[in-house]
Amino acid sequence: MLNYIWFGLMAIALVVAAFLGTADAVTKGAIDSAKTAVEISIGLVGIMTLWLGMMRIAEAAGLVTMLGRALRPISRVLFPEVPPEHPAIGAIVMSIAANMLGLNNAATPFGIKAMEELQTLNPEKDTATNPMVIFMAMNTAGVQLVPATMLGVLVAAGSKNPTAIISTTLVATAIGTVISIIVAKILQRFYPQPGGSAGGIGGAAGDPARLSDVDEVQQ
Amino acid sequence: MIRAVLDAISLWAIPVLLVGIPLAGIIRKVKVYDVFIDGAKEGFDVAVKIIPFLVGILVAIGMFRGSGAMAMLTDAIRPILSAVNFPPELFPLGVMRSLSGSGSLAMTTDIVKTYGPDSFLARAAATMYGSSETTFYVLAVYFGAVGVKKTRHAVPTALVGDIVAAIATVAICGWMFL
């Protein structure tokens, strides 16, 4: 799917450019975006390093497992393939919580950590598992309690009642999130999971599996 | 009231976490600094690992935006939107929201300036921006970080979610603000 969308966007751009004479804008779009992508990634190094370090302390102190255990009733429904004691659940909870509070620069490292933990349970490292897709659905739906950026935009434009959008945003994002999760649960039947239902076998394999991931994904 | 509580949480969450997590470690007799360094070492690798995925996605989207294809798409679909009462002014934003964070922020700001910050369109645009995430960026970063290339049903799921959120936005804002 991503293969076709990726190629499609570029192919359409070329065809449209031929009609509208916007070839220079397409070139600029490509070069600027490549630069932006690297800037974003490098910009993540600092906060990534900080939060991955903090996350390791939280793990060693047993906080991540505790968090996972506390939210067991919810996680069992959303991520039945992940063993309840697995650190992935704690990482997922921390990432979603950071997202809800609008702490974007903490949410991304936590989210990546959660994906790494889910990857330790994955028998086929280049293919997404069901829990990964559910977690992605929750992230792309972007649950946020306070839409801080938008409040800023409205206030800057001189709005008399900027907070009017808080309730509408909450309802819209809640509907989007719930529907995304339901759609993911339905669609997963039509996209066979790697290794069948073997998603849960890695529970005891924690650390060694994580170390080997780093090498396996390089190719 | 609720707003004040949420603001306080946003303000204090990071400093409290940065002290609270090591504090829990100290109580549990964890060598906090050593463990911190051990985890932090991975930071650079993870950030660098994302680069190829992000360059791939953002370049394709940058080309699409630059070509003017977005404007053509909007024009083509305008009659259908009018027929189902979806404000055509919001459609480009709805598409852009999934593709580009900076692009959709610019569009929202533009709508707010053009129609006034307390207009229906401005509030609906702000709700649309706030109620969703930049889908393709999120997918590229998270799947990129672990090297997953076969994303299975992740893209269709996310796109259905985005469409539902956009429709919900228009419905709720229409009900609240019109």
Side-chain angles (χ1 to χ4, degrees):
Chain A
M1 180 104 182
L2 212 46
N3 289 312
Y4 295 114
I5 291 181
W6 187 67
F7 175 72
L9 285 170
M10 293 191 293
I12 292 169
L14 184 65
V15 173
V16 171
F19 279 103
L20 301 181
T22 49
D24 53 339
V26 173
T27 307
K28 190 173 180 306
I31 291 166
D32 287 355
S33 302
K35 193 161 165 260
T36 308
V38 175
E39 282 167 1
I40 291 175
S41 307
I42 296 299
L44 277 173
V45 171
I47 47 165
M48 208 65 219
T49 304
L50 171 63
W51 287 110
L52 286 180
M54 282 291 156
M55 195 70 185
R56 187 62 65 85
I57 299 178
E59 246 172 70
L63 291 177
V64 178
T65 323
M66 234 162 69
L67 204 55
R69 207 175 292 152
L71 286 148
R72 174 92 200 277
I74 304 171
S75 68
R76 203 169 42 186
V77 178
L78 289 177
F79 308 101
E81 297 91 343
V82 182
E85 300 293 307
H86 198 272
I89 299 290
I92 289 171
V93 172
M94 290 179 79
S95 157
I96 300 290
N99 251 327
M100 290 174 81
L101 296 173
L103 310 173
N104 289 331
N105 59 8
T108 306
F110 287 159
I112 288 174
K113 183 76 191 163
M115 288 298 277
E116 286 180 341
E117 292 293 350
L118 289 174
Q119 184 73 313
T120 65
L121 299 171
N122 188 358
E124 247 172 82
K125 300 298 179 199
D126 67 340
T127 309
T129 58
N130 289 343
M132 283 180 181
V133 177
I134 299 277
F135 179 57
M136 280 302 94
M138 295 170 81
N139 267 287
T140 55
V143 196
Q144 206 181 58
L145 295 179
V146 179
T149 311
M150 280 304 109
L151 288 175
V153 168
L154 291 180
V155 169
S159 167
K160 288 187 196 70
N161 185 13
T163 50
I165 62 154
I166 292 181
S167 57
T168 52
T169 303
L170 255 183
V171 176
T173 193
I175 293 174
T177 306
V178 171
I179 297 292
S180 295
I181 292 169
I182 293 172
V183 169
K185 288 275 183 197
I186 294 171
L187 285 182
Q188 72 188 25
R189 292 159 198 245
F190 302 100
Y191 293 81
Q193 175 154 244
S197 60
I201 46 163
D207 275 354
R210 180 188 308 136
L211 290 175
S212 63
D213 289 344
V214 178
D215 301 315
E216 280 174 45
V217 293
Q218 295 298 332
Q219 3 78 3
Chain B
M1 171 59 195
I2 295 171
R3 173 97 204 284
V5 171
L6 289 171
D7 278 349
I9 292 176
S10 303
L11 189 64
W12 285 98
I14 299 226
V16 168
L17 276 177
L18 287 180
V19 178
I21 292 174
L23 178 67
I26 296 272
I27 293 171
R28 294 291 186 92
K29 304 244 181 328
V30 174
K31 288 182 183 153
V32 284
Y33 185 68
D34 297 354
V35 173
F36 173 84
I37 297 297
D38 191 40
K41 272 183 208 154
E42 293 173 14
F44 187 77
D45 287 341
V46 172
V48 169
K49 213 154 64 179
I50 299 168
I51 292 179
F53 294 87
L54 212 50
V55 168
I57 294 284
L58 293 192
V59 164
I61 290 167
M63 289 168 69
F64 187 77
R65 277 181 67 188
S67 70
M70 184 77 82
M72 281 178 77
L73 185 65
T74 317
D75 286 344
I77 257 169
R78 192 178 289 264
I80 305 169
L81 293 172
S82 309
V84 294
N85 280 330
F86 192 100
E89 296 88 346
L90 294 178
F91 179 73
L93 175 62
V95 177
M96 186 64 91
R97 191 68 196 94
S98 307
L99 297 176
S100 160
S102 57
S104 53
L105 181 58
M107 273 185 173
T108 310
T109 311
D110 187 55
I111 291 175
V112 169
K113 283 201 181 117
T114 310
Y115 299 97
D118 293 309
S119 63
F120 163 71
L121 283 175
R123 286 177 171 174
T127 301
M128 192 175 275
Y129 182 94
S131 66
S132 188
E133 258 296 341
T134 316
T135 296
F136 284 96
Y137 169 78
V138 171
L139 292 176
V141 167
Y142 286 154
F143 281 131
V146 293
V148 164
K149 294 186 200 79
K150 295 173 190 155
T151 55
R152 290 174 64 226
H153 52 306
V155 176
T157 299
L159 291 181
V160 171
D162 289 347
I163 293 168
V164 168
I167 294 170
T169 295
V170 172
I172 295 153
C173 289
W175 183 59
M176 293 275 291
F177 304 135
L178 277 183

